[in-house]
Every structure is written in C-alpha cells, then in structure tokens.
C-alpha cells in the first residue's frame, strides 16, 4: 500500500516505517513542521519516499495516517481527497490529554469515520473520545541491543526542552535527583539546564546526540531516571529498558504497566526514588540484575514485530 504519513514523531515513525508498505512523507522547501521529509538522525528504509504537496495531488494513496488535527485540512488541500471519506484514514494520538486529565474532548470525538489509535491504554481511558471508534496499538521499539555497561556512577535522563516544559517533564525534580547521583540529561534544547536549576555543571551535564550515540552514552550510566509527571509513555524509558538499564520512575500515566517488579523502582514518593538511585549506584550487580529484567520485559511487550503485526491487522481492517 501507499501510506501518507507526516514526519511528526521521529522515534515512533522509525518503527512504523519498518512495515511492508511505501510511506509517502510530505516535504516542503523550508522543511518546516508540516514538511520535514525523511529523517536525518534516524535510519529509514528506501520505502520512505518524500513527496511535495504538488506531487501528492497525483499520488495513489491507500491510507492516510494523521497525527495532528490540522492534518485533516492539509490532507484535503494537498491531495484533493477527504480523509475517512475519499481515502481510508486513521488518527494516531501520541499524547495524554493536556488541558484536563479526564474531561478533555478529543479533536476527532465528533466524527465516526476515522478511528483514533492511542499508543497506550491509559490515553484511551483518559481522553473523551466521543463517538470516534478507538483502538490501542502500544509502542514498538527497534531493539538497540543490550548495550548496558553502567560503568559511570551517573544517572541518565532523557527529555526534550526541559526548561520550557518544566513541571510536566519533572524538570523541577532534577535537583533532588542530582543530590543522589550526578545527572547526564540527554535531549534537544537542554543547553543551560544546569544554570537554570542552580546546579554545578558536573552535577547536570547536558547533551543532544544522534540516536545511535545516545543509546551508547545512556548505557554507560548506572541507572535511568524517568521524572515525568504527565505525558504519554516515553519511548526513551522503553529504550532504556531495551538497553538493559535499571529504571527509576514516577508512578504516573502508563509507567506501572511498562515496568514490572524487579526491573527497577516505581513510586510517587521522592524519598523512595532517591533511595533507589543511591542503591543502584552503590550496588552495580543489583543494577545489572534489574536492568536484565527490564530488558526482558520490554522485549516481551514492546517488540518491533508485535508492533508491526498489530498495525498490519489494523490497516487491513480499515482498508478492506
């Protein structure tokens, strides 16, 4: 099939385009948010093909995969076809509701022609989906391998734009965790974070790395810390588990589902989480055992093959 899909979330799309189809990714001259085209920092197969808005008008399209509300209008303007009417479509909802945790009406709630596909069961539960049909296809991760060494007595954190996103991503909690372990904070626009938090640079190092370097550098840290209060299940958390890292995380959204007993420590008590970080730093063998359990759990639930199989079943149902 020819599947139209915008480059919005690179990590998610990297797994999605491993399927057996041709993926038409819009590209614009400025490569702005609506036309990023092919990824630069991820390895995508040749089946991912860039198309300008003008080229899309004449393309055969079997399925539209939408991820933002305004893509309904973009799809019509750029292809001349209405999603869910002239061409089968699905809407992938990557996020938890941000305005109200339980009362927010989904942008597609007032229609029934386009299924809303949530990436976690928590998200489907919390959104008011109205009359829209819903599905859940949990995340799939391309296995980076068991790269964990834990040779550095540091804690890894992955978050994009931590200063701007603040309490949502638990940025305000980082000084507390920095008392238990020096932090390596990876992600986009992390520069100036230590100064913003009033931390010495050696207690809060920041780096923005390509994915293959990110995994290697994360895996050198003794433990992964996930301080996020409110967002969908972070792919970085699952990637840390695939690497074989022990994880310490807030017990919010879908986290409890992802991290079984023995794979790390999940709690909303900060003293419990701080104790866990210190314990993993002090006991490398304990950290290694927890990391192995985390990797096994992630492989069993969030593997690439299961993700692609789930999507194939859904695609066949929507387009039959």
């Amino acid at each position: 099939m020819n599947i139209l899909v915008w480059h919005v979330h690179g990590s998610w799309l990297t797994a999605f385009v491993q399927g057996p189809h041709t993926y038409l990714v819009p590209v614009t001259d400025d490569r702005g948010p609506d036309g990023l085209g092919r990824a630069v920092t991820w390895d995508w197969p040749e089946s991912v093909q860039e198309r300008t808005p003008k080229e899309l008008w004449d393309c055969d399209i079997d399925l539209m995969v939408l991820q933002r509300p305004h893509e309904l209008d973009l799809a019509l303007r750029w292809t001349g076809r209405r999603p869910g009417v002239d061409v089968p479509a699905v809407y992938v909802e990557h996020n938890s509701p941000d305005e109200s945790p339980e009362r927010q009406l989904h942008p597609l709630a007032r229609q029934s022609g386009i299924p809303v596909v949530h990436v976690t069961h928590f998200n489907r539960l919390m959104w008011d989906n109205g009359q829209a049909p819903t599905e859940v296809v949990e995340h799939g991760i391309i296995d980076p391998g068991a790269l964990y060494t834990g040779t550095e007595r540091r804690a890894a954190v992955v978050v994009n734009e931590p200063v701007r996103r603040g309490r949502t991503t638990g940025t305000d909690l980082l000084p507390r965790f920095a008392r238990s372990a020096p932090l390596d904070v990876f992600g986009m626009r992390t520069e100036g974070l230590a100064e913003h938090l009033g931390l010495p640079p050696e207690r809060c190092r920041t780096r923005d790395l390509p994915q293959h370097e990110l995994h290697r550098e994360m895996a050198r840290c003794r433990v992964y810390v996930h301080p996020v209060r409110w967002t969908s299940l972070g792919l970085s958390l699952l990637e840390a588990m695939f690497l074989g890292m022990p994880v310490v995380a807030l017990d919010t959204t879908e986290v409890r589902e992802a991290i079984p007993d023995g794979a790390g420590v999940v709690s909303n008590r900060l003293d419990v989480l701080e104790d866990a970080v210190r314990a993993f730093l002090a006991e490398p063998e304990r950290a290694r055992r927890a990391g192995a359990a985390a990797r096994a759990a992630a492989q069993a639930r969030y593997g690439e093959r299961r993700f692609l199989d789930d999507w194939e079943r859904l695609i066949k149902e929507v387009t039959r």
Side-chain angles (χ1 to χ4, degrees):
M1 294 186 184
N2 289 337
I3 298 178
L4 172 64
V5 57
W6 273 263
H7 178 182
V8 177
H9 294 281
S11 294
W12 178 86
L13 192 54
T14 297
F16 183 74
V17 300
Q18 304 304 315
H21 308 289
T22 297
Y23 304 90
L24 307 178
V25 177
V27 63
T28 55
D29 290 340
D30 64 352
R31 291 190 178 267
D34 292 331
L36 282 174
R38 283 180 58 92
V40 175
T41 57
W42 284 278
D43 185 17
W44 286 359
E46 293 183 4
S47 57
V48 182
Q49 301 178 8
E50 293 182 343
R51 293 290 187 272
T52 66
K54 184 177 180 180
E55 290 170 334
L56 284 171
W57 192 268
D58 297 318
C59 283
D60 291 331
I61 299 172
D62 301 300
L63 176 68
M64 296 179 176
V65 176
L66 311 173
Q67 302 166 79
R68 299 167 296 175
H70 74 277
E71 289 177 9
L72 289 131
D73 178 61
L74 273 183
L76 176 59
R77 288 194 288 115
W78 290 2
T79 72
R81 284 154 279 184
R82 294 166 293 174
V85 178
D86 303 314
V87 179
V90 298
Y91 186 101
V92 180
E93 180 52 71
H94 294 282
N95 301 312
S96 303
D98 56 359
E99 294 176 6
S100 169
E102 85 289 359
R103 293 188 298 275
Q104 188 171 346
L105 193 67
H106 194 273
L108 272 69
R110 293 188 173 92
Q111 61 79 53
S112 57
I114 301 175
V116 177
V117 185
H118 294 280
V119 298
T120 71
H121 292 276
F122 178 87
N123 286 1
R124 178 163 70 171
L125 175 71
M126 300 307 288
W127 277 103
D128 180 351
N129 296 292
Q131 65 185 28
T134 61
E135 300 283 347
V136 175
V137 177
E138 294 188 313
H139 287 307
I141 304 292
I142 299 173
D143 192 347
L147 302 181
Y148 178 67
T149 63
T151 52
E152 292 203 25
R153 289 172 54 89
R154 303 183 68 88
V157 179
V158 178
V159 59
N160 292 324
E161 301 185 74
V163 174
R164 180 184 68 83
R165 297 169 74 191
R167 286 179 57 84
T168 299
T169 52
T171 304
D172 59 301
L173 303 178
L174 295 181
R176 290 199 60 159
F177 286 111
R179 297 187 313 206
S180 301
L183 306 178
D184 278 357
V185 182
F186 301 94
M188 295 185 293
R189 290 180 282 281
T190 54
E191 59 277 359
L193 177 61
E195 182 180 4
H196 172 76
L197 296 174
L199 292 172
E202 66 274 8
R203 300 300 292 186
C204 183
R205 301 191 306 205
T206 59
R207 283 182 285 178
D208 182 1
L209 301 174
Q211 192 179 42
H212 65 283
E213 293 182 32
L214 168 66
H215 288 158
R216 185 177 64 248
E217 292 303 309
M218 283 172 61
R220 294 174 60 185
C221 296
R222 183 70 53 83
V223 60
Y224 182 82
V225 172
H226 192 66
V228 178
R229 280 190 176 89
W230 185 259
T231 186
S232 193
L233 182 61
L235 284 170
S236 58
L237 170 65
L238 300 181
E239 289 171 354
M241 295 172 69
F242 267 90
L243 293 170
M245 301 185 72
V247 290
V248 172
L250 291 184
D251 189 3
T252 58
T253 63
E254 190 89 349
V255 169
R256 177 69 66 173
E257 288 280 328
I259 305 174
D261 292 341
V265 175
V266 179
S267 177
N268 286 327
R269 289 183 52 179
L270 293 178
D271 58 330
V272 170
L273 299 179
E274 291 175 275
D275 287 346
V277 171
R278 286 191 290 268
F280 283 132
L281 252 64
E283 303 175 51
E285 187 54 39
R286 176 182 175 183
R288 195 170 295 109
R289 288 195 305 269
R295 175 169 167 77
Q299 285 179 308
R301 182 162 183 172
Y302 301 103
E304 175 191 357
R305 186 70 263 157
R306 189 235 83 229
F307 173 77
L308 293 175
D309 287 346
D310 286 354
W311 266 107
E312 280 306 293
R313 285 191 290 270
L314 180 57
I315 287 171
K316 289 177 182 177
E317 176 67 23
V318 172
T319 60
R320 67 178 180 173

